[in-house]
Amino acid sequence: MQIATPYLMFLGDVPDRLAAKTAYGINDWRHEWCVGQFRMEGCAADLDIPDLTLEQAVAQGCKTMVVGVVNAGGVLPEHWVEKIVAALDAGLDVASGLHVRLGSVPAIAEAAQRNGRALHDVRHTTETFPTGKGTKRPGRRLLTVGTDCSVGKKYTALALERGMRERGFDADFRATGQTGVFISGRGVAIDAVVADFISGAVEWVSPANEPNHWDLIEGQGSLFHPSFAGVSLGLLHGAQADAFVVCHEPTRTRMRGVEASLPTIQEVIDLTIRCGSLTNPGIRPVGIAINTQALAEPQARVLLAETEAAHRLPATDPVRFGVEGLVDRIAAEFPA
Amino acid sequence: MQIATPYLMFLGDVPDRLAAKTAYGINDWRHEWCVGQFRMEGCAADLDIPDLTLEQAVAQGCKTMVVGVVNAGGVLPEHWVEKIVAALDAGLDVASGLHVRLGSVPAIAEAAQRNGRALHDVRHTTETFPTGKGTKRPGRRLLTVGTDCSVGKKYTALALERGMRERGFDADFRATGQTGVFISGRGVAIDAVVADFISGAVEWVSPANEPNHWDLIEGQGSLFHPSFAGVSLGLLHGAQADAFVVCHEPTRTRMRGVEASLPTIQEVIDLTIRCGSLTNPGIRPVGIAINTQALAEPQARVLLAETEAAHRLPATDPVRFGVEGLVDRIAAEFPA
């Protein structure tokens, strides 16, 4: 899936910020692609970017209207459908993170065809991937892995992209989840791929590249999560990661959505090396990213210092304290 | 997917035995369900069971016509379509292992609806599974795992079902691939499930059961196969296996379809225990199944004896030498 940029951000008439979480994430990380927002009467979300009509958006170069919002019932309300049709008629592609497929709404399917515009359903994939080959491809790759789901794997990869580019690295974030796909304009929601093609889809997401180029691949789930470990393993094998960062949330008492207890950071390091060496025998950890949001700053600093000492790896909260230490380690371990 | 039995086996007019491989597999393992065969002029396959008309099949109690054949082009030829429609009109369900979905052929879809009959596409699944929970459920489970794809995991599970039932065990084969689904009349082709639901689908395939009941779960792929390890791991976690048998093909020099070399049997044992203990800390190996087809009998016996000694586990070729030793070990390790 390759989504044309820049974007007009459709916010509909959502009742709160949370319903526009994806749109906020895109604007946080790709502000330069968010030319304007399109809001309807009663909309309680605001990205603090210009409100544009469809015609203004087209005139300012927008290529795609992004529906980065959800509504309570999970359905596509009728009064949103007419705006999406109008966007297609105005010459924009439309990309959506909704569960419902845009093309399943007859009026939208007809308008896309009539105008020769593309519809992207980021939660789904129509792409047919080959199965993974496991053959080492050129370029360097870092994967963010986790002790659990929702521990900061996407944010860590994005923060590394920003931090590494600032330090002169040639580095690209590679998306494997829906918000990530909007942020990179390309990628695939890996958990929606048919099981046989997980590693093949990752090989497609992160293709061969220049020897010193870094792909920063967004991880999913955890090798220790009883629901999703298969996705995590296929992702690890397809990524052929040279390096990985372990992401962790220190206040969690059990794994998200199930009764299983959390693995230790060391267990994640060990099993990631054990399994990852199948497609890249040189795989090694380069740091630990801890989401310290729930801790006061002194406590957070103590925890990070203890973690560094215990694992002899740089540990940071990428959002709170930056990724300097991680980039130092990458530079030292992988000289150009 | 639950397919009503017994079956009328549709062989069409396939030009050779190989094109009817699935039908032969079903008849090998579920001869009692194969009431008769329905062949068209020029058919070169023969299951050596009675040739029946559709009316005779219905009169003899058949519930489902099984299209256990493939044709060269991968499409459904027009002269098969009319026979499938006739079967639906005669009151049979139809189940197919073809890539093309039965319901995508308008004449077949209409006939199914008109007659209120079910269509089963065993290569696909329309079932929506919950994500895996990882919570231990009652009953005992054995999973066949492999050093590679296509090393005898299905045959080993089926041979164990037969051998354990003969010894008085309450045991059921559980299918995770298309031929297996026809053989058990239930199950799901696990590699066709969306990635997020692999372990959840396996929890569905092998539900809670009596404490002494054994599910013999058909494995898929290998934890060491760079294309399919994600499927294998989700399957292992969903199976919550108490016991596993490692399946191996000794003449293979690299993994099927890729450049990777084969793991050793010991590596498979170690990683299966390491990963499987997430959802069942008691997981242990109970034997090794080696496909010795390419070896003369004395060589095969030497290899099996050496393998037994090296791993202190019973080793056999289930097809050639039976599963007695494996069942002995299961009985000893898991007393009722």
Side-chain angles (χ1 to χ4, degrees), chain A residues 1 125-131 187-188 190 193-194 197 200-202 204-205:
Chain A
M1 184 168 327
T125 177
T126 49
E127 194 93 28
T128 317
F129 300 101
T131 55
V188 57
I190 211 79
V193 168
V194 166
F197 304 98
V202 180
W204 177 89
V205 163

Side-chain angles (χ1 to χ4, degrees), chain A residues 58-205:
Chain A
V58 171
Q60 294 188 30
C62 284
K63 296 283 183 279
T64 301
M65 183 167 88
V66 170
V67 184
V69 287
V70 289
N71 79 312
V75 296
L76 192 51
E78 192 55 39
H79 62 292
W80 290 10
V81 170
E82 62 188 59
K83 301 300 181 192
I84 291 169
V85 168
L88 292 162
D89 285 339
L92 294 167
D93 292 345
V94 177
S96 152
L98 295 167
H99 271 293
V100 58
R101 287 171 201 261
L102 291 169
S104 71
V105 180
I108 295 175
E110 282 160 29
Q113 186 160 25
R114 181 167 70 236
N115 295 291
R117 304 315 317 168
L119 299 176
H120 301 288
D121 292 299
V122 174
R123 272 185 202 264
H124 303 276
T125 177
T126 49
E127 194 93 28
T128 317
F129 300 101
T131 55
K133 289 287 159 251
T135 312
K136 190 78 180 71
R137 53 202 193 279
R140 285 168 169 171
R141 290 172 183 83
L142 181 149
L143 176 69
T144 53
V145 302
T147 52
D148 195 1
C149 304
S150 305
V151 290
K153 290 184 284 284
K154 179 176 73 243
Y155 260 63
T156 299
L158 284 161
L160 276 170
E161 181 193 55
R162 189 174 283 176
M164 288 175 76
R165 285 179 174 181
E166 282 168 8
R167 298 267 293 269
F169 284 87
D170 184 12
D172 288 302
F173 170 75
R174 299 297 184 189
T176 62
Q178 66 150 333
T179 303
V181 173
F182 282 124
I183 290 172
S184 75
R186 184 177 179 280
V188 57
I190 211 79
D191 57 7
V193 168
V194 166
D196 247 5
F197 304 98
I198 304 170
S199 63
V202 180
E203 292 183 2
W204 177 89
V205 163

Side-chain angles (χ1 to χ4, degrees), chain B residues 2-156:
Chain B
Q2 185 117 25
I3 305 173
T5 60
Y7 300 149
L8 172 65
M9 305 302 291
F10 175 83
L11 300 183
D13 52 357
V14 293
D16 54 33
R17 253 185 89 100
L18 191 64
K21 201 179 76 167
T22 299
Y24 280 94
I26 300 168
N27 191 50
D28 281 350
W29 290 101
R30 289 296 181 267
H31 182 65
E32 67 279 17
W33 288 354
C34 298
V35 174
Q37 60 189 358
F38 182 86
R39 300 191 296 165
M40 297 167 71
E41 205 182 307
C43 181
D46 183 356
L47 298 176
D48 203 17
I49 56 177
D51 284 291
L52 300 180
T53 65
L54 295 169
E55 292 66 31
Q56 289 169 330
V58 171
Q60 293 187 31
C62 285
K63 296 281 182 281
T64 301
M65 184 167 88
V66 170
V67 184
V69 288
V70 290
N71 78 312
V75 296
L76 193 51
E78 193 55 40
H79 62 293
W80 290 9
V81 170
E82 62 189 57
K83 300 300 181 192
I84 291 170
V85 168
L88 292 161
D89 285 339
L92 295 167
D93 291 346
V94 177
S96 152
L98 295 167
H99 271 293
V100 57
R101 287 171 201 262
L102 291 170
S104 71
V105 180
I108 295 175
E110 280 160 30
Q113 187 160 25
R114 181 169 70 236
N115 295 291
R117 306 313 320 167
L119 298 176
H120 301 289
D121 291 298
V122 173
R123 274 185 202 263
H124 303 277
T125 177
T126 48
E127 194 94 27
T128 317
F129 300 101
T131 55
K133 289 288 159 251
T135 312
K136 189 79 180 71
R137 52 203 194 278
R140 286 169 168 169
R141 290 174 183 82
L142 180 148
L143 175 68
T144 53
V145 303
T147 52
D148 195 1
C149 305
S150 304
V151 291
K153 291 184 283 285
K154 179 177 73 242
Y155 260 65
T156 300

